[in-house]
Amino acid sequence: MKPYRLASREDKDTIIEVHSGEGTCSIGEGYCTIIAGPCAVESEESILTSARLVKKLGAHILRGGAFKPRTSPYSFPGLGVEGLRYLASARKETGLPIVTEVLDVRDVDRVLEIADIVQVGSRNMQNFPLLRELSHQRVPVLLKRGFAATVEEWLLAAEYLMSGGNRQVILCERGIRTFENSTRNTVDLGVVPLIKELSHLPVVVDPSHATGKWQLVRPIAKAAIAAGADGLMIEVHHHPETALSDGKQSLTGANFARLMEEVKSIAHLEGKII
Ligand code: PEP
Ligand code: MN
């Protein structure tokens, strides 16, 4: 028997349903769900601009960090609770469901007040108290792969979330750290079909953090869907040069529009609903 019992393939495919002003959005086998938005919520105006933009171009879910895990203590840490309020207004105006990161167990209640999906970031994949807390909640969790985590460790982190009763886990590949430093991380697309073999959970790919370069995002996004991913998480900013975080990997509206067009044809080829 596999060490991850609840996350293992033995169950039937999990389809996660998120309800919003727009109706129901499904994530899992047979769907190609696009999550898009800026790295961080920077102001009310900017998240509204991004939300309108990604909605117009066909995204299903809005992303935006209010609590940001920054490597340097001097980098923009996010707007915190104020950022959550701005996300709530973006949801109200556009009807797009929201995914946002929770960094700290102490913030779980506040984040859950507005998040339709809560994100556990790469750096927190093995924050076991946080996983345990979320395991008792009834909110879908987007679990990013730790940048140095094996597939087994990642699935065991999913198992933590499921072991308290929360069965709504979405796995997100976002690149791993290797000797290669010409890209921010090394994209591991082989895990997509592998996860499909090992687990019933949905798996999406984040080509933005995986590559760190906007020029690589569209090709890797297409490859991810062709490899069988159930969706994508894409960083989009209306003006990447001025972004307070991750501008170099953020797509402009025009580039995101092109990505959507090309991803749509691949999703159709794969028989996925987009
Ligand atoms: C993010 O998606 O905002 C993020 C910080 O990504 P990761 O945890 O994959 O680095
Ligand atoms: Mn980012």
Side-chain angles (χ1 to χ4, degrees), residues 97-112:
I98 302 292
V99 56
T100 195
E101 179 163 354
V102 63
L103 281 184
D104 190 318
V105 173
R106 291 167 295 188
D107 295 324
V108 166
D109 290 343
R110 288 192 285 194
V111 173
L112 292 198

PDB file of all heavy atoms in Angstrom, residues 97-112:
ATOM      1  N   PRO A  97     -13.997  33.709  -9.034  1.00  0.00           N
ATOM      2  CA  PRO A  97     -13.558  33.175  -7.737  1.00  0.00           C
ATOM      3  C   PRO A  97     -12.097  33.573  -7.487  1.00  0.00           C
ATOM      4  O   PRO A  97     -11.347  33.823  -8.435  1.00  0.00           O
ATOM      5  CB  PRO A  97     -13.672  31.665  -7.897  1.00  0.00           C
ATOM      6  CG  PRO A  97     -14.341  31.414  -9.189  1.00  0.00           C
ATOM      7  CD  PRO A  97     -14.267  32.654 -10.008  1.00  0.00           C
ATOM      8  N   ILE A  98     -11.715  33.577  -6.213  1.00  0.00           N
ATOM      9  CA  ILE A  98     -10.392  34.069  -5.810  1.00  0.00           C
ATOM     10  C   ILE A  98      -9.547  32.935  -5.241  1.00  0.00           C
ATOM     11  O   ILE A  98     -10.007  32.163  -4.399  1.00  0.00           O
ATOM     12  CB  ILE A  98     -10.561  35.102  -4.655  1.00  0.00           C
ATOM     13  CG1 ILE A  98     -11.462  36.271  -5.065  1.00  0.00           C
ATOM     14  CG2 ILE A  98      -9.219  35.582  -4.121  1.00  0.00           C
ATOM     15  CD1 ILE A  98     -10.880  37.163  -6.104  1.00  0.00           C
ATOM     16  N   VAL A  99      -8.282  32.892  -5.677  1.00  0.00           N
ATOM     17  CA  VAL A  99      -7.301  32.058  -4.968  1.00  0.00           C
ATOM     18  C   VAL A  99      -6.219  32.977  -4.423  1.00  0.00           C
ATOM     19  O   VAL A  99      -5.705  33.842  -5.125  1.00  0.00           O
ATOM     20  CB  VAL A  99      -6.721  30.919  -5.854  1.00  0.00           C
ATOM     21  CG1 VAL A  99      -6.092  31.413  -7.123  1.00  0.00           C
ATOM     22  CG2 VAL A  99      -5.687  30.102  -5.063  1.00  0.00           C
ATOM     23  N   THR A 100      -5.926  32.806  -3.135  1.00  0.00           N
ATOM     24  CA  THR A 100      -4.901  33.633  -2.501  1.00  0.00           C
ATOM     25  C   THR A 100      -4.181  32.820  -1.434  1.00  0.00           C
ATOM     26  O   THR A 100      -4.742  31.874  -0.871  1.00  0.00           O
ATOM     27  CB  THR A 100      -5.512  34.957  -1.963  1.00  0.00           C
ATOM     28  OG1 THR A 100      -4.444  35.880  -1.680  1.00  0.00           O
ATOM     29  CG2 THR A 100      -6.345  34.745  -0.710  1.00  0.00           C
ATOM     30  N   GLU A 101      -2.943  33.207  -1.169  1.00  0.00           N
ATOM     31  CA  GLU A 101      -2.096  32.394  -0.290  1.00  0.00           C
ATOM     32  C   GLU A 101      -2.307  32.724   1.184  1.00  0.00           C
ATOM     33  O   GLU A 101      -2.488  33.882   1.554  1.00  0.00           O
ATOM     34  CB  GLU A 101      -0.613  32.619  -0.672  1.00  0.00           C
ATOM     35  CG  GLU A 101       0.356  31.841   0.206  1.00  0.00           C
ATOM     36  CD  GLU A 101       1.766  31.721  -0.387  1.00  0.00           C
ATOM     37  OE1 GLU A 101       2.002  32.136  -1.533  1.00  0.00           O
ATOM     38  OE2 GLU A 101       2.636  31.183   0.325  1.00  0.00           O
ATOM     39  N   VAL A 102      -2.239  31.685   2.004  1.00  0.00           N
ATOM     40  CA  VAL A 102      -2.168  31.901   3.449  1.00  0.00           C
ATOM     41  C   VAL A 102      -0.776  31.444   3.890  1.00  0.00           C
ATOM     42  O   VAL A 102      -0.319  30.359   3.548  1.00  0.00           O
ATOM     43  CB  VAL A 102      -3.309  31.180   4.216  1.00  0.00           C
ATOM     44  CG1 VAL A 102      -3.256  29.670   4.089  1.00  0.00           C
ATOM     45  CG2 VAL A 102      -3.311  31.586   5.682  1.00  0.00           C
ATOM     46  N   LEU A 103      -0.105  32.331   4.647  1.00  0.00           N
ATOM     47  CA  LEU A 103       1.265  32.028   5.059  1.00  0.00           C
ATOM     48  C   LEU A 103       1.331  31.474   6.464  1.00  0.00           C
ATOM     49  O   LEU A 103       2.274  30.777   6.818  1.00  0.00           O
ATOM     50  CB  LEU A 103       2.098  33.325   5.069  1.00  0.00           C
ATOM     51  CG  LEU A 103       2.611  33.876   3.752  1.00  0.00           C
ATOM     52  CD1 LEU A 103       3.478  35.103   4.019  1.00  0.00           C
ATOM     53  CD2 LEU A 103       3.447  32.824   3.043  1.00  0.00           C
ATOM     54  N   ASP A 104       0.347  31.860   7.274  1.00  0.00           N
ATOM     55  CA  ASP A 104       0.474  31.663   8.714  1.00  0.00           C
ATOM     56  C   ASP A 104      -0.828  31.092   9.269  1.00  0.00           C
ATOM     57  O   ASP A 104      -1.917  31.574   8.912  1.00  0.00           O
ATOM     58  CB  ASP A 104       0.745  33.054   9.320  1.00  0.00           C
ATOM     59  CG  ASP A 104       1.130  33.008  10.780  1.00  0.00           C
ATOM     60  OD1 ASP A 104       0.515  32.234  11.537  1.00  0.00           O
ATOM     61  OD2 ASP A 104       2.027  33.779  11.164  1.00  0.00           O
ATOM     62  N   VAL A 105      -0.712  30.108  10.135  1.00  0.00           N
ATOM     63  CA  VAL A 105      -1.899  29.510  10.772  1.00  0.00           C
ATOM     64  C   VAL A 105      -2.789  30.595  11.390  1.00  0.00           C
ATOM     65  O   VAL A 105      -4.016  30.502  11.339  1.00  0.00           O
ATOM     66  CB  VAL A 105      -1.460  28.514  11.876  1.00  0.00           C
ATOM     67  CG1 VAL A 105      -2.648  28.009  12.661  1.00  0.00           C
ATOM     68  CG2 VAL A 105      -0.715  27.344  11.275  1.00  0.00           C
ATOM     69  N   ARG A 106      -2.159  31.645  11.937  1.00  0.00           N
ATOM     70  CA  ARG A 106      -2.935  32.684  12.620  1.00  0.00           C
ATOM     71  C   ARG A 106      -3.812  33.491  11.670  1.00  0.00           C
ATOM     72  O   ARG A 106      -4.702  34.212  12.105  1.00  0.00           O
ATOM     73  CB  ARG A 106      -1.990  33.629  13.383  1.00  0.00           C
ATOM     74  CG  ARG A 106      -1.331  32.962  14.580  1.00  0.00           C
ATOM     75  CD  ARG A 106      -0.196  33.793  15.107  1.00  0.00           C
ATOM     76  NE  ARG A 106       0.884  33.896  14.120  1.00  0.00           N
ATOM     77  CZ  ARG A 106       2.077  34.444  14.354  1.00  0.00           C
ATOM     78  NH1 ARG A 106       2.339  34.966  15.529  1.00  0.00           N
ATOM     79  NH2 ARG A 106       2.995  34.493  13.408  1.00  0.00           N
ATOM     80  N   ASP A 107      -3.550  33.404  10.362  1.00  0.00           N
ATOM     81  CA  ASP A 107      -4.341  34.174   9.392  1.00  0.00           C
ATOM     82  C   ASP A 107      -5.417  33.339   8.693  1.00  0.00           C
ATOM     83  O   ASP A 107      -6.151  33.858   7.846  1.00  0.00           O
ATOM     84  CB  ASP A 107      -3.424  34.768   8.306  1.00  0.00           C
ATOM     85  CG  ASP A 107      -2.462  35.791   8.878  1.00  0.00           C
ATOM     86  OD1 ASP A 107      -2.858  36.529   9.793  1.00  0.00           O
ATOM     87  OD2 ASP A 107      -1.297  35.820   8.413  1.00  0.00           O
ATOM     88  N   VAL A 108      -5.493  32.054   9.024  1.00  0.00           N
ATOM     89  CA  VAL A 108      -6.386  31.176   8.263  1.00  0.00           C
ATOM     90  C   VAL A 108      -7.829  31.711   8.246  1.00  0.00           C
ATOM     91  O   VAL A 108      -8.441  31.829   7.182  1.00  0.00           O
ATOM     92  CB  VAL A 108      -6.321  29.717   8.794  1.00  0.00           C
ATOM     93  CG1 VAL A 108      -7.474  28.879   8.269  1.00  0.00           C
ATOM     94  CG2 VAL A 108      -4.981  29.077   8.409  1.00  0.00           C
ATOM     95  N   ASP A 109      -8.366  32.090   9.407  1.00  0.00           N
ATOM     96  CA  ASP A 109      -9.766  32.517   9.437  1.00  0.00           C
ATOM     97  C   ASP A 109     -10.002  33.732   8.546  1.00  0.00           C
ATOM     98  O   ASP A 109     -10.978  33.795   7.799  1.00  0.00           O
ATOM     99  CB  ASP A 109     -10.204  32.852  10.871  1.00  0.00           C
ATOM    100  CG  ASP A 109     -10.296  31.581  11.711  1.00  0.00           C
ATOM    101  OD1 ASP A 109     -10.337  30.490  11.110  1.00  0.00           O
ATOM    102  OD2 ASP A 109     -10.298  31.697  12.954  1.00  0.00           O
ATOM    103  N   ARG A 110      -9.069  34.690   8.643  1.00  0.00           N
ATOM    104  CA  ARG A 110      -9.234  35.916   7.850  1.00  0.00           C
ATOM    105  C   ARG A 110      -9.159  35.632   6.356  1.00  0.00           C
ATOM    106  O   ARG A 110      -9.912  36.176   5.560  1.00  0.00           O
ATOM    107  CB  ARG A 110      -8.152  36.937   8.224  1.00  0.00           C
ATOM    108  CG  ARG A 110      -8.407  37.514   9.600  1.00  0.00           C
ATOM    109  CD  ARG A 110      -7.538  38.687   9.848  1.00  0.00           C
ATOM    110  NE  ARG A 110      -6.168  38.258  10.115  1.00  0.00           N
ATOM    111  CZ  ARG A 110      -5.251  39.066  10.635  1.00  0.00           C
ATOM    112  NH1 ARG A 110      -5.555  40.308  10.909  1.00  0.00           N
ATOM    113  NH2 ARG A 110      -4.033  38.621  10.856  1.00  0.00           N
ATOM    114  N   VAL A 111      -8.241  34.761   5.958  1.00  0.00           N
ATOM    115  CA  VAL A 111      -8.097  34.452   4.534  1.00  0.00           C
ATOM    116  C   VAL A 111      -9.337  33.678   4.047  1.00  0.00           C
ATOM    117  O   VAL A 111      -9.851  33.932   2.961  1.00  0.00           O
ATOM    118  CB  VAL A 111      -6.783  33.685   4.258  1.00  0.00           C
ATOM    119  CG1 VAL A 111      -6.723  33.208   2.811  1.00  0.00           C
ATOM    120  CG2 VAL A 111      -5.574  34.565   4.573  1.00  0.00           C
ATOM    121  N   LEU A 112      -9.812  32.782   4.893  1.00  0.00           N
ATOM    122  CA  LEU A 112     -10.974  31.975   4.468  1.00  0.00           C
ATOM    123  C   LEU A 112     -12.248  32.797   4.325  1.00  0.00           C
ATOM    124  O   LEU A 112     -13.167  32.382   3.626  1.00  0.00           O
ATOM    125  CB  LEU A 112     -11.210  30.810   5.437  1.00  0.00           C
ATOM    126  CG  LEU A 112     -10.142  29.720   5.432  1.00  0.00           C
ATOM    127  CD1 LEU A 112     -10.650  28.444   6.073  1.00  0.00           C
ATOM    128  CD2 LEU A 112      -9.648  29.426   4.028  1.00  0.00           C
TER     129      LEU A 112
END
